[in-house]
Amino acid sequence: MGVPPLDRSRERGVTYTGRKGGGQLSAPRLRIDSPERAGLDPGELKHLVREVRALTGGADPWAAGLVLVAGRGPVIAVEEAAGWAVRYASYDQEAETGVELPPGTWVPATVDTPFDLASLTKLFTAVAAVQQLERGTLGIDARVGAYLPDFRAVVEHGLTVRQLLTHTSGLRPEVALYSCPDDRARLAMLRAEAPESEPGEYVYSDVNLLLLQHVLERVTGRTLDVLVRDGITRPLGMTATGFGPCPGAAATEDQRWPWAKADRGMLRGVVHDENAWALGGVAGHAGLFSTGRDLAVFCRTLLAGGSYGPARILGPDFVELMLTPPGLGFALDQAWFMGDLAGRGAAGHTGFTGTSLVLDPATDTFVVLLANTVHPRRRPADNGPRAAAGTWMARAVRGA
């Protein structure tokens, strides 16, 4: 049985004037209200909350701590925190278990706890890029070499901006920038990076967003952190979102060899990703910290066509461009982490540290799940809980 589309006339206060893609859109701000007011089944959402809370229980939980925010239209119907933002002091390799801090020093996760977003950062870089498309300073099918003529490999292979945004450049998944002795060597590595497979083939790659960061900084004359702050988080009032350091964030990993790529000890408030760390914490693929509430605002903005309250960060046409297959920056209809929300144009992303978000234009719903699954040590990803959250949300829409 399919998920019925939401009657958008229920969103009172939505107005749009002017030519398509060029006018102003006033969309209501998020508010906390009952599932019924959001057009969601309260019983199904209770199941969702119960299942998510259980993920932090036991001696070997899925995550030490987590935050869940979910809603429909302008209503946040679920905002829950469970477990611990900080639980472990280190990881014991011989015992293969976390070394817990004294119980009285554990830090509980709250709905206001920031988390290291990891690859959810890519979505903000993508929005910053599409903003430049809208302004005409960047071309979607322009060659990257036109903006970065000193990056000889991308010039030689004729890679395009679209290929970076859709992971079809053929570039390998990552490069070892963390192994370079200084910024000059890191830049030289990126300039020499050439595709390993035929451009046009999908290969998910952090390098795409690192190159896109350089393109954006070159065409605007501003650093990525400034572009994200001035173009996205500040106008939307996302005051808890930004590149680190973020001292109050949930802890991540006891980062040490041989399981990690750097020897840094237990991390809290500094970026987990080794390449982003090597770049000073600001990178196109990782580095942002945020809260569940702030990411709900981000999701709501895109669902409302690029506007939130009086702020407009993109026109509706350009939001549609981002969320139309194959998606620019966003993954579309991926059941492996979206569950039953996938199938009718749902968009989202996951992050290595345990983060994910899904927004579904067909049902006007969003689900944000922030967790520190790498605390105290990284392990193979288990996407089952992410997919289950999407499935419970889809059931809540169907049962309303």
Side-chain angles (χ1 to χ4, degrees), residues 14-391:
V14 176
T15 58
Y16 177 69
T17 59
R19 65 180 177 83
K20 188 178 181 184
Q24 291 184 343
L25 183 68
S26 176
R29 296 177 183 272
L30 285 169
R31 69 181 190 275
I32 297 176
D33 211 327
S34 67
E36 292 88 347
R37 291 290 183 90
L40 296 168
D41 183 279
E44 300 292 356
L45 291 187
K46 285 181 181 178
H47 285 298
L48 168 61
V49 171
R50 183 167 60 247
E51 293 289 329
V52 166
R53 282 189 168 276
L55 296 172
T56 64
D60 186 28
W62 180 73
L66 57 80
V67 171
L68 170 72
V69 183
R72 191 182 195 191
V75 176
I76 293 176
V78 175
E79 187 174 40
E80 295 283 337
W84 306 94
V86 182
R87 176 174 173 175
Y88 301 98
S90 61
Y91 181 80
D92 186 329
Q93 184 179 2
E94 292 187 2
E96 297 184 343
T97 188
V99 178
E100 293 180 336
L101 292 162
T105 65
W106 296 10
V107 179
T110 73
V111 294
D112 297 318
T113 298
F115 285 75
D116 181 335
L117 297 188
S119 283
L120 295 193
T121 302
K122 293 181 172 73
L123 301 181
F124 290 80
T125 306
V127 169
V130 176
Q131 287 176 330
Q132 297 308 312
L133 296 180
E134 184 175 26
R135 291 166 188 162
T137 56
L138 191 65
I140 185 65
D141 290 312
R143 296 198 173 193
V144 176
Y147 307 106
L148 303 175
D150 49 328
F151 282 59
R152 61 183 183 276
V154 298
V155 171
E156 178 183 347
H157 291 273
L159 301 184
T160 67
V161 171
R162 187 189 298 273
Q163 288 171 335
L164 298 185
L165 281 165
T166 56
H167 295 285
T168 55
S169 65
L171 293 164
R172 56 180 165 161
E174 67 173 351
V175 293
L177 299 178
Y178 52 84
S179 68
C180 296
D182 53 37
D183 288 343
R184 186 174 180 177
R186 283 184 277 273
L187 183 57
M189 180 179 284
L190 283 176
R191 284 174 171 166
E193 188 65 18
E196 282 194 339
S197 59
E198 186 68 24
E201 176 186 346
Y202 180 86
V203 178
Y204 180 80
S205 171
D206 289 349
V207 184
N208 289 318
L209 279 297
L210 286 168
L211 290 179
L212 189 60
Q213 175 186 0
H214 280 276
V215 170
L216 292 173
E217 293 181 343
R218 191 73 61 89
V219 300
T220 65
R222 294 185 290 169
T223 57
L224 181 64
D225 55 329
V226 173
L227 291 172
V228 169
R229 183 195 67 202
D230 291 352
I232 305 173
T233 61
R234 180 181 286 170
L236 296 180
M238 296 172 61
T239 57
T241 304
F243 289 94
C246 183
T252 54
E253 183 178 36
D254 181 11
Q255 197 169 92
R256 288 187 280 125
W257 295 299
W259 57 83
K261 303 160 191 170
D263 199 353
R264 302 166 63 200
M266 183 60 73
L267 305 178
R268 186 187 185 195
V270 292
V271 64
H272 174 271
D273 182 89
E274 293 93 340
N275 276 337
W277 164 68
L279 292 168
V282 177
H285 71 293
L288 278 175
F289 291 79
S290 188
T291 62
R293 179 75 67 88
D294 266 18
L295 290 181
V297 170
F298 182 70
C299 290
R300 183 72 214 125
T301 300
L302 296 175
L303 287 168
S307 293
Y308 184 76
R312 172 189 175 279
I313 63 167
L314 279 175
D317 285 356
F318 288 88
V319 174
E320 184 178 356
L321 176 65
M322 290 192 76
L323 305 184
T324 297
L328 300 182
F330 284 82
L332 303 183
D333 287 330
Q334 298 296 307
W336 61 272
F337 77 92
M338 299 177 180
D340 287 354
L341 280 180
R344 298 183 61 183
H349 216 286
T350 64
F352 186 82
T353 51
T355 59
S356 63
L357 67 80
V358 181
L359 55 100
D360 181 28
T363 60
D364 207 21
T365 56
F366 60 87
V367 180
V368 175
L369 183 59
L370 302 181
N372 54 350
T373 58
V374 297
H375 185 53
R377 181 194 155 170
R378 68 186 70 188
R379 53 187 171 180
D382 174 8
N383 292 298
R386 290 164 164 160
T391 294

